Amino acid sequence: MSDLIVDRLGVQYGGVRALDGVNLRVPAGSVIGLIGPNGAGKTSLINAVTGIVRPRSGSIRLGDVRLDRLAPHRIARAGVARTYQNIRLFGALSIAENVRAGAFRRRGRLDDGAIHALLAQAALEAPDLRRRAGALPYGEQRRLEIARARAGEPELLLLDEPAAGLNPRETHELRAVIRGAAAAGAGVLLVEHDMSLVSAVCDRVVVLNFGERIAEGTPAEIKRDPAVVEAYLG
């Protein structure tokens, strides 16, 4: 497994600087939180890592691979997987078909046993694999999206607000899901507004505000940082 290294990343939309000289490291096997107010640049960073937007400056590396020079499908092949703020499952396809769609880096076809194992890692226990993904309750759709992202055995997993819309029980279960991905060796970058979840699962936290990194530290350190309190935590 490889570390993600973001070096002096700049992203611009027209005259608006979404990210300005941002540095970030996600070591393999760790969970790094990325927090900040709306519009701080969190999703722009994820979109830059996955090739959805092209950086204006800086570099993005996963180990020895320079991601910012690759097309999105090549970045995915290099070992980067993500989930989305707004769920993007293949709603008309079955649970099994959705998980298999994420397994493009594996050799051979996932059998039902392997699919159930991936679903269990995402806290989805023994669902009917033939059930249409779009018919699942919202919380189960969130977890299915994580299972699909993990199906390709990624080196880097990007989670964009995975707790959005979940109830307290589902959010608590999500802790083990996130830490389990890191325990399997992947680096996990977690964008999340739920600070109780961030505090429970993250090894370190990076804070963005107006496209710039204003702080980095452990969850406890971040909660005490005056700049973070003023900009975000209130």
Side-chain angles (χ1 to χ4, degrees), residues 1-2 4 26 30 32 42-43 45-52 60-62 67 70-85 88 98-106 118 142-162 178 181-182 185-191:
M1 294 292 183
S2 303
L4 172 72
V26 182
S30 70
I32 304 300
K42 304 181 298 294
T43 296
L45 192 147
I46 286 183
N47 286 341
V49 172
T50 54
I52 303 301
I60 305 169
R61 295 181 182 274
L62 184 62
L67 298 182
L70 299 179
H73 70 282
R74 294 193 179 276
I75 293 173
R77 287 280 182 189
V80 178
R82 70 172 293 181
T83 65
Y84 296 84
Q85 281 181 309
R88 296 188 184 180
N98 269 271
V99 175
R100 288 191 175 109
F104 53 86
R105 295 182 72 234
R106 295 191 185 213
L118 285 163
R142 279 272 180 209
R143 285 173 280 176
L144 175 56
E145 193 173 39
I146 294 174
R148 183 181 65 183
R150 291 195 62 187
E153 298 178 327
E155 297 194 25
L156 176 67
L157 179 61
L158 309 171
L159 301 176
D160 197 353
E161 297 192 29
I178 295 170
V188 180
L189 182 62
L190 172 67
V191 173

Side-chain angles (χ1 to χ4, degrees), residues 72-190:
H73 70 282
R74 294 193 179 276
I75 293 173
R77 287 280 182 189
V80 178
R82 70 172 293 181
T83 65
Y84 296 84
Q85 281 181 309
N86 299 314
I87 298 171
R88 296 188 184 180
L89 292 172
F90 302 113
L93 301 182
S94 69
I95 292 172
E97 288 168 330
N98 269 271
V99 175
R100 288 191 175 109
F104 53 86
R105 295 182 72 234
R106 295 191 185 213
R107 291 185 176 180
R109 179 180 171 85
L110 283 181
D111 61 26
D112 287 357
I115 292 174
H116 276 298
L118 285 163
L119 294 171
Q121 292 170 2
L124 271 173
E125 298 290 344
D128 182 353
L129 297 184
R130 299 167 297 179
R131 189 175 182 186
R132 187 171 60 85
L136 293 173
Y138 181 86
E140 293 185 16
Q141 290 190 37
R142 279 272 180 209
R143 285 173 280 176
L144 175 56
E145 193 173 39
I146 294 174
R148 183 181 65 183
R150 291 195 62 187
E153 298 178 327
E155 297 194 25
L156 176 67
L157 179 61
L158 309 171
L159 301 176
D160 197 353
E161 297 192 29
L166 300 187
N167 62 40
R169 177 185 60 80
E170 292 169 331
T171 300
H172 189 270
E173 291 175 345
L174 189 59
R175 297 180 181 185
V177 173
I178 295 170
R179 289 305 318 182
V188 180
L189 182 62
L190 172 67

